[in-house]
Amino acid sequence: MSTTTQGGDKECAAYAPKRLRGTMVALMFSGYSVGGMVAAGLGIGLIPGFGWQPMFFIAAVPLLMLPLILWKLPESLGFLIRQGRQDEARRIFARISATPLDAGDRLVFSETKGASASVAELFRHGRTLRTLMLWLSFFCCLLLVYLLSSWLPKVLQEAGYAERASLLSLFSLNFGGMAGAILGGRMGDRFGLPRVVVGFFAAAALSIAMIGMNPAPALLFALVFVAGATTIGTQILLYASVAQLYNLSVRSTGLGWASGVGRIGAIVGPTLGGVLLARELPLEQNFLIFAVPAALSALAMLVFALANGRARDAMRLAAV
């Protein structure tokens, strides 16, 4: 006789416990910031003596790790079950579950709501406003991430800071991104991701605007650290917000569309920086303009949080 083991959509979607999901997603994506810190450190050490060309050869080295990643990175348990790869799914399930499987047991994946993976599904079940606000936040946040990563050192050099100091600002930006992602993930697990993201974006707008006031070097690096924590770090938290909004059947679609809209912002960001630099605006005006997308993101995520709260209340009333 065969026993059926069923898993809900979110339990099968990730290997991290639900109460730590935001933290674990943040830790994973903080690798982006670690890479940025390593690149900035190498730039400080190599560019003055060897020029910028060796940096591109060094950037290709991480590609050598792709075979190891493809070999060791596990698939989603829900995906393996739906693909009929029972042996792989059973091995992973045995590692993450305290409930042992008998020889005749078979893992079956089920969701409470069936759904297609079309983009239209992202706007159903009362998710229209939240989806649009997430898209706006992704656009503005990635615009900021690539704007600051691409042009912050150059803008600071134009304002009179030495090359070493400008590269250190890039290190500080990415170090802040890693710290912000980890701290934000922990805070999101405790207080709710939308609230934390709203606060982070508000802090981003304030810190970016203050960078333009030409502060003393110590304060400058502190403000850049905060800006990194609340832009790069918040971008990582937005991915976790998407994962929590959509069930597994449309989660990849939701992540793909949100990331795609964000990539438009990633294109606009460096372009905007180049246009502003060409106009030779004062440092204060540049960073006031840089702060606008952060303020828009804070407003968008505030609307998202309010809509999320109303959706939860409606679900509670329906359950009574």
Side-chain angles (χ1 to χ4, degrees), residues 8-307:
D9 60 332
K10 288 191 177 181
E11 285 71 22
C12 285
Y15 296 126
K18 186 176 181 180
R19 64 185 179 85
L20 295 175
R21 190 165 296 148
T23 300
M24 299 306 293
V25 170
L27 283 170
M28 178 184 69
F29 278 105
S30 64
Y32 173 91
S33 298
V34 174
M37 292 163 58
V38 172
L42 289 171
I44 291 170
L46 294 177
I47 291 177
F50 302 96
W52 54 264
Q53 291 88 344
M55 296 296 294
F56 285 86
F57 293 100
I58 295 172
V61 173
L63 294 176
L64 299 176
M65 296 183 64
L66 282 177
L68 178 64
I69 294 171
L70 292 172
W71 178 36
K72 289 294 186 181
L73 188 66
E75 287 283 4
S76 161
L77 186 57
F79 175 82
L80 292 174
I81 295 171
R82 288 190 297 178
Q83 292 292 311
R85 295 156 64 176
Q86 282 287 319
D87 291 340
E88 294 177 62
R90 287 172 64 89
R91 284 196 297 269
I92 293 175
F93 184 85
R95 294 173 60 186
I96 65 175
S97 175
T99 305
L101 290 174
D102 294 330
D105 288 346
R106 181 177 178 82
L107 294 169
V108 176
F109 177 79
S110 65
E111 288 189 296
T112 55
K113 292 183 180 179
S116 66
S118 67
V119 64
E121 188 64 28
L122 305 179
F123 298 91
R124 294 175 183 155
H125 310 298
R127 292 191 294 240
T128 298
L129 181 60
R130 287 177 288 171
T131 293
L132 292 175
M133 292 301 100
L134 273 178
W135 285 7
L136 177 58
S137 297
F138 263 83
F139 175 87
C140 291
C141 191
L142 269 174
L143 184 155
L144 275 173
V145 168
Y146 282 84
L147 172 65
L148 293 174
S149 298
S150 300
W151 288 108
L152 180 62
K154 184 64 177 176
V155 171
L156 292 179
Q157 284 186 54
E158 292 290 327
Y161 290 91
E163 181 182 64
R164 183 179 179 86
S166 64
L167 288 171
L168 280 172
S169 72
L170 192 59
F171 182 92
S172 183
L173 182 78
N174 283 282
F175 184 60
M178 181 181 66
I182 296 171
L183 176 62
R186 294 294 300 271
M187 293 176 65
D189 288 328
R190 183 172 181 181
F191 303 110
L193 277 173
R195 295 179 182 176
V196 175
V197 172
V198 171
F200 271 33
F201 275 134
L206 180 61
S207 61
I208 292 170
M210 290 179 66
I211 291 173
M213 298 178 182
N214 204 9
L219 180 57
L220 170 69
F221 291 129
L223 290 171
V224 171
F225 175 88
V226 174
T230 52
T231 55
I232 298 173
T234 309
Q235 173 63 29
I236 295 164
L237 300 182
L238 286 176
Y239 281 104
S241 298
V242 172
Q244 290 188 4
L245 176 60
Y246 304 113
N247 57 19
L248 183 62
S249 61
V250 294
R251 188 170 296 147
S252 294
T253 303
L255 282 168
W257 274 88
S259 298
V261 172
R263 292 299 158 185
I264 299 173
I267 296 169
V268 172
T271 305
L272 174 63
V275 170
L276 293 176
L277 200 63
R279 297 189 65 176
E280 299 181 350
L281 296 174
L283 185 69
E284 182 178 357
Q285 288 186 28
N286 277 324
F287 281 95
L288 282 175
I289 295 171
F290 291 178
V292 171
L296 286 176
S297 296
L299 180 60
M301 287 307 295
L302 177 61
V303 174
F304 177 91
L306 294 173

